[in-house]
Amino acid sequence: MDKLDQALTKLEYAIDHFPLGASSPENYKSYEEQIADVRNSLKWINAREITLRALIDSNSTEDLPEGDLNQALDELNERTSNLLINKNTLQLGYHSKAIQDVVYGGAGTEEVQLRMKACLNKLFVKNDELAMQYEKKKELMKKEYELQLECHKAIYDHQEFLKERENKRNQELQENNPDLMTVRDKILRSIFKIHTQKKLITNLIGSMCHKLQNHPELVDLLAKHKDVINLESIVEMTHNKSSTDSS
């Protein structure tokens, strides 16, 4: 039962965290993983394009390459990536040099200089605003982390309190009425089995949510098994039934 309960917990976690609108396991990847996959694909495509252009420019060749082909491809990919990085760096350098020439060197017309200075002023203001927002975000994240720690500590303390109270009640019950303790253990095991079945039913139905629209009985089944059953609820149900029968 423990293995089944662990499997149900993993299934429930997978269903809860499955992205909305995901239609394939590929969509299950995080955005960071998808971006990394796209970047790797683009790197290979760029390397392939450069290779094909080199073959076309050299009128192609049928000679077999020398050395390790995989190592050569890795070097080609690395050099291609460095080429793209250097290209972007040079472009940014040219842009920075042009801005310096306009602002400090007097290049361009007076209108261009005024517009450039106005844009830079706006950029500096936005940069300061972003810096302030970043600092506020850091403070809020720190407070959130501290509150999470307090919340976890409170939950842990409450769980320990419940365990101590439960152990004390079990000990008293074992000393005063061992037969009732045996019956209680059987009931708790039955409740655990019922909960496992309820989790299995709800998770299986949740995993095929696209069929709920055409099968309303599944929705009724979900509603039927949504409530939690414990020893107190069973005692209350028994008491209510006894009251109804006596009346």
Side-chain angles (χ1 to χ4, degrees), residues 226-242:
K226 67 181 179 64
D227 296 328
V228 177
I229 297 177
N230 51 32
L231 188 59
E232 288 75 11
S233 62
I234 292 178
V235 172
E236 184 178 356
M237 291 170 58
T238 305
H239 179 71
N240 293 336
K241 184 177 180 181
S242 300

Side-chain angles (χ1 to χ4, degrees), residues 44-209:
W44 284 99
I45 292 173
N46 290 332
R48 180 62 176 166
E49 180 185 3
I50 293 175
T51 303
L52 292 176
R53 289 183 180 277
L55 290 175
I56 293 173
D57 294 339
S58 62
N59 296 324
S60 186
T61 178
E62 296 181 357
D63 297 335
L64 295 177
E66 298 180 358
D68 188 3
L69 180 59
N70 292 329
Q71 183 179 358
L73 288 175
D74 291 338
E75 292 179 358
L76 176 61
N77 293 332
E78 183 178 358
R79 293 183 181 182
T80 303
S81 300
N82 293 333
L83 175 63
L84 295 175
I85 293 173
N86 293 334
K87 178 183 176 182
N88 293 332
T89 303
L90 286 174
Q91 287 181 348
L92 293 175
Y94 290 146
H95 293 165
S96 299
K97 183 64 169 59
I99 292 173
Q100 289 180 355
D101 291 340
V102 172
V103 176
Y104 301 108
T109 62
E110 184 178 357
E111 182 181 0
V112 171
Q113 295 175 5
L114 292 175
R115 288 185 177 181
M116 182 65 69
K117 291 179 180 179
C119 290
L120 289 176
N121 288 332
K122 290 182 180 179
L123 180 62
F124 293 149
V125 171
K126 290 295 182 182
N127 187 55
D128 293 339
E129 292 177 355
L130 289 175
M132 293 176 60
Q133 291 179 1
Y134 177 72
E135 292 298 327
K136 290 181 180 179
K137 182 179 179 181
K138 286 176 59 177
E139 294 178 1
L140 292 175
M141 291 178 64
K142 182 179 179 181
K143 290 182 180 179
E144 181 183 7
Y145 178 72
E146 293 175 352
L147 291 174
Q148 286 179 350
L149 289 180
E150 293 179 3
C151 181
H152 291 163
K153 185 178 182 302
I155 292 174
Y156 177 78
D157 293 341
H158 184 64
Q159 289 177 343
E160 290 297 317
F161 167 74
L162 293 178
K163 288 181 181 179
E164 292 178 1
R165 188 178 67 175
E166 185 69 17
N167 292 333
K168 185 177 180 181
R169 291 173 59 184
N170 292 338
Q171 185 177 0
E172 292 177 354
L173 188 61
Q174 182 68 33
E175 294 174 355
N176 300 329
N177 197 337
D179 294 335
L180 183 59
M181 184 66 180
T182 303
V183 175
R184 181 176 178 274
D185 290 339
K186 291 182 179 179
I187 294 175
L188 290 177
R189 285 195 295 270
S190 300
I191 291 175
F192 177 77
K193 293 179 181 179
I194 293 173
H195 273 303
T196 302
Q197 294 174 356
K198 287 165 70 70
K199 289 174 64 177
L200 181 60
I201 292 172
T202 53
N203 285 322
L204 288 178
I205 295 176
S207 64
M208 53 180 183
C209 56

